[in-house]
Amino acid sequence: MITNITNFQTEGYQNFLAGEYAQAAYLYEQAIADEPDVISNYWHLGLTLLLQGQEAEAQMTWMLAIAEVEEEKIQFHTTELIKVLQIEAERREHLEEFSISWLIRQHIQEIHPSDINNLLNIIQLSIQLNNFDGAQLNDVGIIQLLNSKEIGDLNLELLNQVLQQVLDTQPLHLSYLDLVEACLPYFANPHQGFCILLPAAIKIGHTFKQPKLAAQILELYLRLDPEEVETLRHLAIFYQDSQNYTLGIEKAKLCYSLSKKLPDKIFALHLVLRGLMSAGGYWQEICSTSQELECVLQEFIKAQPLAVDEVRTLRLLTPSFALPHIKDSPADFRKIHNQVAQIFQNNIQAIAHEETQRYSQRIINNQSSGISTKPLKIGYISYALRRHSVGWLARWLIQHHNREKFEIYNYSVSYKLVDDFLQEWYVNKSSKARKLGINAFEIAEQIYEDEIDILVDLDSITLDISSEVMALKPAPIQVTWLGWDASGIPAIDYFIADPYVLPDSAQDYYTEKIWRLPHTYVAVDGFEVDVPTLRRDELNIPNDAVIYLSAQRGYKRHPETTKWQMKIIKEVQNSYFLIKGDAEEEAIKQFFYKIAEQEGVECSRLRFLPQDPSEAIHRANLTIADVVLDTYPYNGATTTLETLWMGIPLVTRVGQQFAARNSYTMMMNAGITEGIAWTDEEYVEWGVRLGKDEALRQQVVLKLKASRQTAPLWNGKQFTRDMEKAYEQMWQSYIEGK
């Protein structure tokens, strides 16, 4: 008899493994009929029924079996049932049959709702099956169990895995914060929490574009280690990116106070400046902090050679971004910046010595092989090929490229996993689109393997990863175009400019060769424009009033320029000034109110506008202005193009640095000289004249509208031909070894 039962069990299990569930169920039923006291047969029978879709029958089989045993043995047999289900769930996971494992674990949950390890497995499987909803963390009781700290034999490795996977799952959910908080006591040490939470916060803040949630996660981590400097650095950035400037500045200052090494001090001062300038209005503190930054940079240069690791090296260039916003002295600025860029490149190439040697060998081989008839491979590298100023402007070059003569490669750094139609446009318009992460060595290797002839950097120093890639020199010719200014990295051969955007003397303080296109360094065929949402009556502005507008973020607000703007408002009666741009609301208001009062302008003539819901609406709303007043020493770029495209007169002050000549070159290439000022006094004079002389304004408006048909600024196709000619000439010079 015992032999028959064993045979029934063995045959039943073999049929079960083969997926022949009906036959397996029949054999288990025979085993139960022969020996009803062998409880395990009920467990296997129920499991077989479950996998045939007979969930109610399976549950009934288990319940009837439990009901028949003695009370003191119920717990023992329940544990036995769970063990059978657990083994099968794990077997299915090993076979990657995740939906079956998930189903089995759902029934384990019903039998033992407080089995934390099973609940964690359910979450893990839900993520695998793409049916995870953050609300499940509360629904299944995981967070409550973790908080109760009465959970028995918790698998800590599994808990950490699930935490990492949850934080990597979109859409993000507020319950993630509750999970992080509940997990804090279970980290073996603060470092373990750091290794899990910081990378997750970086991805959430930057890739998923939710800096507020990223900041909240890092604040929870600080409970474990309140003075962990790396966490504080990122926390400062996330607070600033979520426009909580007060906390962003506070955390940046704490970073500076805790920093001991010169590279750390440089980056901490950058974070302080980043917060102060983004908020706007903290001018006195901005000046003192920038002076301190320059001093620390000089000290760092004098202290060479210093052993600086890769992470600290990557943070050396970005701090320079703030300085041209504060003063227009490119020769002095670039003398410091170029030296830092040289140190940056030396360190990166020392870290990746083998790679750079291999990349440089191709350059020698290319030059010895002579001119090729194949299409040139042009690679564009940027984190901003999306809804970003660079993304809006670079698209016309990509649109009009001659695909017979050029293969276009798109290297999207830190590819953002968000719904962005412009990002997808770039992917679709490229010969090859590489959706990349943030590992510079992997990016450089991809560029090298793709055999790119000319690599064009659109980020300059605004992204450290792109700078690192350029320093490795994976392509024989490397160029900076469009983003910010030249980076100063010696591995970059050319900086694209035009006859206006840099003065003739600029080559004296640029390490890159300045390649001047014949007309303009940027051109667009136009912009998408929506329906305007701003009305004069809603702003309590009379119909006959003159409206001035400045739409720039807090970074570009300079008190000297603001004084000129207030002088204009004072001089032009019945005029109003609209102010728009990212900044800390109260700080920027006090900044403008203080200068207005100093210049004798009533604060009631100022209007502060919120950001528009889209770029297309922003452009439509520009038309409420009669005159746009540019910033200095850092001009508008995309905002200037949008202003001119909408046919609005602009007043700009021309300086010496690239950032102080953007509006100048754009106006010249639109055929407009009215509003170009070469001195502070001329800026005020043009502002007053355009405000008072309606006929002059209309004349400019008509010229701008007519320029759409003839001006280089609005001819993306001709601009592309100019760029392509430049690429061909660069390649010719390279092959000839010049």
Side-chain angles (χ1 to χ4, degrees), residues 233-248:
R233 289 188 188 105
H234 289 281
L235 188 55
I237 292 170
F238 292 140
Y239 274 134
Q240 292 170 20
D241 287 353
S242 57
Q243 299 188 345
N244 189 337
Y245 299 113
T246 301
L247 280 177

Side-chain angles (χ1 to χ4, degrees), residues 156 198 260 305 339 359 389 446 453 551 607 609 648 683:
L156 292 174
L198 183 62
K260 306 301 180 187
Q339 292 179 79
Y359 298 161
S389 290
Q446 181 66 67
D453 298 315
R607 299 285 188 277
L609 305 180
I648 304 167
Y683 183 97

Side-chain angles (χ1 to χ4, degrees), residues 290-305:
S290 68
Q291 289 172 0
E292 192 166 358
L293 173 60
E294 287 190 54
C295 290
V296 176
L297 286 169
Q298 295 272 28
E299 187 179 350
F300 174 74
I301 292 167
K302 290 177 183 176
Q304 296 304 312

Side-chain angles (χ1 to χ4, degrees), residues 582-595:
D582 284 337
E584 184 181 68
E585 183 177 356
E586 194 55 37
I588 204 69
K589 282 183 178 180
Q590 293 307 316
F591 171 78
F592 275 95
Y593 287 157
K594 181 178 179 181
I595 296 174

Side-chain angles (χ1 to χ4, degrees), residues 488-601:
I489 296 172
I492 298 177
D493 304 285
Y494 299 103
F495 178 51
I496 301 294
D498 61 35
Y500 311 104
V501 78
L502 286 175
D504 294 339
S505 60
Q507 191 62 73
D508 295 341
Y509 45 82
Y510 275 82
T511 58
E512 304 89 342
K513 180 177 179 179
I514 298 171
W515 193 289
R516 296 182 190 266
L517 299 179
H519 303 291
T520 176
Y521 83 94
V522 63
V524 300
D525 285 351
F527 292 101
E528 295 82 354
V529 181
D530 210 322
V531 178
T533 59
L534 281 181
R535 292 176 56 88
R536 286 178 176 239
D537 54 355
E538 292 175 354
L539 295 172
N540 195 25
I541 295 177
N543 288 334
D544 61 345
V546 174
I547 293 182
Y548 292 92
L549 168 69
S550 178
Q552 302 289 355
R553 58 182 181 155
Y555 246 89
K556 297 184 180 182
R557 301 298 183 188
H558 194 290
E560 197 61 34
T561 312
T562 306
K563 286 181 183 178
W564 309 337
Q565 293 167 347
M566 292 305 150
K567 290 180 184 296
I568 294 168
I569 302 302
K570 182 179 180 180
E571 185 70 21
V572 180
Q573 295 181 1
N574 195 26
S575 66
Y576 291 79
F577 191 26
L578 308 186
I579 300 148
K580 182 169 71 171
D582 284 337
E584 184 181 68
E585 183 177 356
E586 194 55 37
I588 204 69
K589 282 183 178 180
Q590 293 307 316
F591 171 78
F592 275 95
Y593 287 157
K594 181 178 179 181
I595 296 174
E597 290 172 1
Q598 290 172 350
E599 296 299 322
V601 174

Side-chain angles (χ1 to χ4, degrees), residues 260-554:
K260 306 301 180 187
K261 296 182 178 181
L262 286 173
D264 293 338
K265 289 184 176 182
I266 290 169
F267 193 69
L269 285 168
H270 158 66
L271 293 178
V272 176
L273 269 178
R274 186 180 190 270
L276 292 170
M277 297 181 72
S278 295
Y282 297 93
W283 187 253
Q284 189 171 353
E285 196 172 353
I286 287 170
C287 289
S288 61
T289 305
S290 68
Q291 289 172 0
E292 192 166 358
L293 173 60
E294 287 190 54
C295 290
V296 176
L297 286 169
Q298 295 272 28
E299 187 179 350
F300 174 74
I301 292 167
K302 290 177 183 176
Q304 296 304 312
L306 285 177
V308 182
D309 60 31
E310 181 188 356
V311 172
R312 288 186 170 88
T313 297
L314 283 179
R315 293 171 175 159
L316 290 175
L317 290 184
T318 309
S320 293
F321 177 76
L323 300 179
H325 291 78
I326 299 165
K327 56 184 178 181
D328 180 23
S329 54
D332 296 335
F333 163 74
R334 298 209 70 87
K335 181 180 179 182
I336 298 172
H337 176 74
N338 291 342
Q339 292 179 79
V340 175
Q342 177 71 67
I343 295 166
F344 174 92
Q345 176 170 301
N346 291 346
N347 289 355
I348 295 300
Q349 292 196 352
I351 292 166
H353 179 71
E354 290 184 11
E355 288 85 350
T356 52
Q357 287 291 104
R358 184 157 45 88
Y359 298 161
S360 64
Q361 185 60 46
R362 174 178 289 167
I363 295 174
I364 297 170
N365 294 342
N366 281 343
Q367 289 176 326
S368 62
S369 64
I371 297 175
S372 171
T373 57
K374 69 178 181 63
L376 282 177
K377 291 184 177 181
I378 311 296
Y380 293 96
I381 178 172
S382 179
Y383 75 100
L385 296 176
R386 52 186 173 83
R387 285 179 60 187
H388 180 283
S389 290
V390 167
W392 289 115
L393 304 187
R395 56 184 171 153
W396 302 111
L397 176 60
I398 305 301
Q399 173 77 30
H400 295 303
H401 257 309
N402 184 335
R403 303 310 168 113
E404 294 181 0
K405 299 175 68 176
F406 300 90
E407 289 185 40
I408 307 305
Y409 285 67
N410 163 9
Y411 297 95
S412 292
V413 182
S414 188
Y415 186 83
K416 297 194 178 296
L417 305 175
V418 294
D419 183 17
D420 187 321
F421 77 90
L422 195 53
Q423 178 177 251
E424 289 307 306
W425 183 92
Y426 276 101
V427 169
N428 295 330
K429 287 292 183 180
S430 302
S431 306
K432 295 281 179 65
R434 308 298 190 191
K435 301 176 183 179
L436 303 165
I438 56 173
N439 186 311
F441 298 107
E442 291 178 1
I443 297 168
E445 191 64 24
Q446 181 66 67
I447 292 166
Y448 176 75
E449 289 177 3
D450 288 338
E451 298 185 339
I452 294 301
D453 298 315
I454 301 176
L455 181 62
V456 185
D457 171 28
L458 280 69
D459 295 338
S460 187
I461 66 166
T462 61
L463 186 71
D464 49 14
I465 303 301
S466 299
S467 296
E468 186 175 18
V469 171
M470 301 304 283
L472 292 168
K473 202 169 177 66
I477 299 175
Q478 300 197 149
V479 180
T480 297
W481 172 63
L482 195 58
W484 196 66
D485 194 346
S487 66
I489 296 172
I492 298 177
D493 304 285
Y494 299 103
F495 178 51
I496 301 294
D498 61 35
Y500 311 104
V501 78
L502 286 175
D504 294 339
S505 60
Q507 191 62 73
D508 295 341
Y509 45 82
Y510 275 82
T511 58
E512 304 89 342
K513 180 177 179 179
I514 298 171
W515 193 289
R516 296 182 190 266
L517 299 179
H519 303 291
T520 176
Y521 83 94
V522 63
V524 300
D525 285 351
F527 292 101
E528 295 82 354
V529 181
D530 210 322
V531 178
T533 59
L534 281 181
R535 292 176 56 88
R536 286 178 176 239
D537 54 355
E538 292 175 354
L539 295 172
N540 195 25
I541 295 177
N543 288 334
D544 61 345
V546 174
I547 293 182
Y548 292 92
L549 168 69
S550 178
Q552 302 289 355
R553 58 182 181 155

Side-chain angles (χ1 to χ4, degrees), residues 635-692:
N635 294 169
T638 306
T639 51
T640 294
L641 278 167
E642 291 169 330
T643 297
L644 299 176
W645 178 254
M646 297 307 296
I648 304 167
L650 177 78
V651 178
T652 189
R653 165 71 160 87
V654 186
Q656 291 298 304
Q657 64 186 359
F658 178 84
R661 300 171 71 92
N662 259 308
S663 295
Y664 166 53
T665 188
M666 291 170 186
M667 291 176 73
M668 292 297 291
N669 279 290
I672 300 295
T673 57
E674 297 87 346
I676 296 175
W678 292 91
T679 65
D680 305 351
E681 293 75 18
E682 281 187 18
Y683 183 97
V684 177
E685 289 169 5
W686 271 118
V688 172
R689 186 178 170 190
L690 283 166
K692 289 184 174 181

